[in-house]
Every structure is written in structure tokens, then in C-alpha cells.
Amino acid sequence: MKPLYIFWLLLLPFLTLGNKSYGDNKLPALEGPYLGQKPPGLIPEVFAPGIVSTKHRDLSAFFTPDMQALYFTRKENNSKKWSLITFTLENNRWRKSAVVPRVGRPFISPDGNTLHLGKKYRQRSPAGWSEIKSLGSPYEDIRIMRLTASSAGTYVFDEGTRDGKGVLRYSRVTDGKREQPKPLGKAINTGKWNAHPFIAPDESYLMWDGERDGGFGGNDIYISFRQPDGSWGTAINLGDKVNTDGEQSSPYVTPDGKYLFFNSYNSQGNGDIYWADARMIEALRPKSAS
């Protein structure tokens, strides 16, 4: 086994108390990358229908950096309870290995050493995974839904409010010290709603969902590219292949850079996970940001 994969297997008992291991015999044989699913093109498709995307509210999929484990969240229709579900790749076959209560909106740092949980986190060390820790002030004073991080340690996170006051913020690490969070500029923080950001590991682009004039309705997914002077460029709507008159949210690009994942909600409030070829991102990149 790969050393990093072993670490992720060790993570499962530490996620929370009361976790269970699952060997789901009802699942079809899932072999190969991406749960054995046929890769999509530039038109988004439902990811793993009936397996990951079901009748429940299935959202926020992400892979570990070594692509050996998949995590996503699910809200059961009947119980209304949220869970964090894990599939792991063992001997080229995927199996459902754990279902545990969800804590925040999880996100794995690019180096695989931090499990971000909104304003909380777990840190990996040679001794194993820590207990849940708080990011402390001022993060504890903000209703963070999703916090993502770049390879350089820059945080980008949201504020869970629809009163028009919530913004996306960032916090960099400079000379080994973390800066106080600052709001991103008007290119990002415009409109009624900005949330669920994803910053590229190399900080070359930032994605999020929001409501603003000129959208397709509800939440749309937007992208901004880093400019040569270090600023963020004008927000670009991902277009009608991704965005609909419903709600799309929580964009994420796989660690290998190949696929865009995002959430899409129907009129009943249930959600599925979609994926598409990440080349659509490069097609939107302005020449000035290349």
C-alpha cells in the first residue's frame, strides 16, 4: 500500500465517535479511477448515479490527494440527518468504508495534512490525527460554511448569511505567520450571495457560487483568474452548461486537475453531484491571465 493511502485509512476511526465500517454488497463492482465511472466531456453529468448521487441530498464530493479515497456528504430524506460518507480504493476496487455524522463542510488541504471543517479542523502528525480543533479568533466569530486552502496555506472562506452582508474572505501566511482575514474585492464580493469558495492549489483561480445580475437564476458558479499584477480578475459565469435556473454550488477540482465537481439542486431541495472535464476552466481563462 502507498504510505499516504495508509494514512487516510487511519483517518477513519478519528473522524468522530460512533463511526461504522461498511461492506455494501448491494453495490456493483466499482473498479478503476473515479469509482469506475466513465469520464464526462465538457457537458456536466451526474456522478456515479445510484451510488453517490441518489434520491437523497448528496453534495460536496472531494478526493484525497492520492486519489485513493472519496468523501461526500448526504442528507437523508426521511431522518434529515447529515452524514459524511467515504469510499476507499483497495486492490483497484472501491468499497464504502465509513458513514459518520458530518462535522462542518469538509475539505482536504492540498498536502493532505489538514482536514478543514469550516471554522474547525484536524491536523495530521506522525502520531496520527488530532482531535477536532478550533481555528480560534476571529474565525470562531464568523459562521463559516466552507473553508478551502491553497498549497501555500492561503485560506479562502465564506460567511453563512443571506442578508446581503456575507462576503468571501482570505487569509495568507506571510513570513510563517497567518494574516488576519480580509474581504476579497468587488470583483468577487458583488451581488446578493457569495459562498462555498474553492481556491486552486497554485492560487491561479478562485471559484465560488453566488447570486448576481446576469445570472441564470438562483446560485450560479463563477470563476476569477489571478492577474499578472496579483489581483483577481472579473468574475466569469461558467455558463449554461453548468448553471441552470436552479441552484449550483460548491465547485471543486480534483487533485489531478482533470475534473470539475459541483452540486446541483432540484426544485424539491434535493441535490446531486455533477462532474465535467476541467478543460472548460482553461477555455474561460483570459489571455491576460495566462
Side-chain angles (χ1 to χ4, degrees):
M1 284 188 183
K2 299 178 182 179
L4 184 56
Y5 176 49
I6 293 173
F7 272 121
W8 287 110
L9 290 179
L10 293 174
L11 166 64
L12 297 177
F14 290 93
L15 281 170
T16 187
L17 295 176
N19 57 307
K20 298 179 181 180
S21 179
Y22 287 76
D24 197 332
N25 295 325
K26 296 181 181 179
L27 292 175
L30 305 173
E31 298 180 344
Y34 305 100
L35 274 70
Q37 303 301 295
K38 180 181 177 182
L42 297 176
I43 305 300
E45 299 178 10
V46 175
F47 179 70
I51 300 168
V52 171
S53 298
T54 66
K55 63 181 180 180
H56 303 288
R57 193 172 185 177
D58 302 300
L59 307 171
S60 305
F62 64 92
F63 287 87
T64 53
D66 60 3
M67 302 296 293
Q68 301 292 299
L70 169 73
Y71 293 81
F72 64 96
T73 62
R74 172 175 292 164
K75 185 179 182 181
E76 295 282 343
N77 284 342
N78 295 328
S79 68
K80 306 302 181 183
K81 292 182 178 179
W82 282 100
S83 298
L84 176 63
I85 299 176
T86 310
F87 280 78
T88 53
L89 183 61
E90 303 174 34
N91 299 319
N92 202 45
R93 178 168 291 191
W94 293 88
R95 60 184 292 270
K96 187 188 290 186
S97 58
V99 178
V100 300
R102 188 192 76 168
V103 178
R105 291 176 182 262
F107 176 81
I108 298 291
S109 62
D111 64 6
N113 289 327
T114 306
L115 176 64
H116 291 289
L117 304 164
K119 64 183 70 177
K120 302 184 185 300
Y121 70 100
R122 291 182 184 272
Q123 193 72 36
R124 193 178 74 181
S125 72
W129 285 89
S130 71
E131 295 299 316
I132 294 178
K133 298 180 180 182
S134 170
L135 290 176
S137 180
Y139 302 94
E140 280 295 340
D141 300 324
I142 302 171
R143 186 172 174 259
I144 299 173
M145 294 184 296
R146 190 190 202 192
L147 182 150
T148 64
S150 71
S151 295
T154 298
Y155 292 165
V156 179
F157 60 93
D158 57 13
E159 182 176 3
T161 173
R162 285 185 179 270
D163 61 5
K165 298 180 180 180
V167 298
L168 298 185
R169 295 181 173 91
Y170 71 99
S171 170
R172 299 176 300 184
V173 176
T174 303
D175 297 328
K177 296 183 179 180
R178 181 162 297 283
E179 298 176 345
Q180 288 293 303
K182 301 175 183 178
L184 287 155
K186 291 184 178 180
I188 310 298
N189 286 315
T190 295
K192 301 178 181 178
W193 173 248
N194 297 286
H196 312 118
F198 170 79
I199 186 168
D202 64 358
E203 301 189 19
S204 62
Y205 62 84
L206 174 66
M207 303 175 72
W208 72 99
D209 57 86
E211 289 185 61
R212 59 177 66 195
D213 293 340
F216 291 91
N219 291 352
D220 285 357
I221 295 177
Y222 292 86
I223 187 168
S224 173
F225 293 94
R226 181 80 76 178
Q227 303 301 296
D229 64 0
S231 65
W232 290 106
T234 301
I236 301 170
N237 190 299
L238 260 63
D240 60 3
K241 300 298 187 295
V242 170
N243 296 312
T244 70
D245 58 1
E247 295 192 3
Q248 285 68 48
S249 71
S250 303
Y252 158 81
V253 175
T254 52
D256 57 13
K258 292 182 177 180
Y259 298 103
L260 166 69
F261 278 68
F262 63 94
N263 304 335
S264 186
Y265 304 84
N266 60 29
S267 59
Q268 287 74 45
N270 294 328
D272 283 328
I273 296 166
Y274 281 73
W275 64 327
D277 194 310
R279 287 179 297 172
M280 70 165 57
I281 293 174
E282 291 307 311
L284 294 171
R285 187 188 297 270
K287 292 182 179 180
S288 61
S290 299

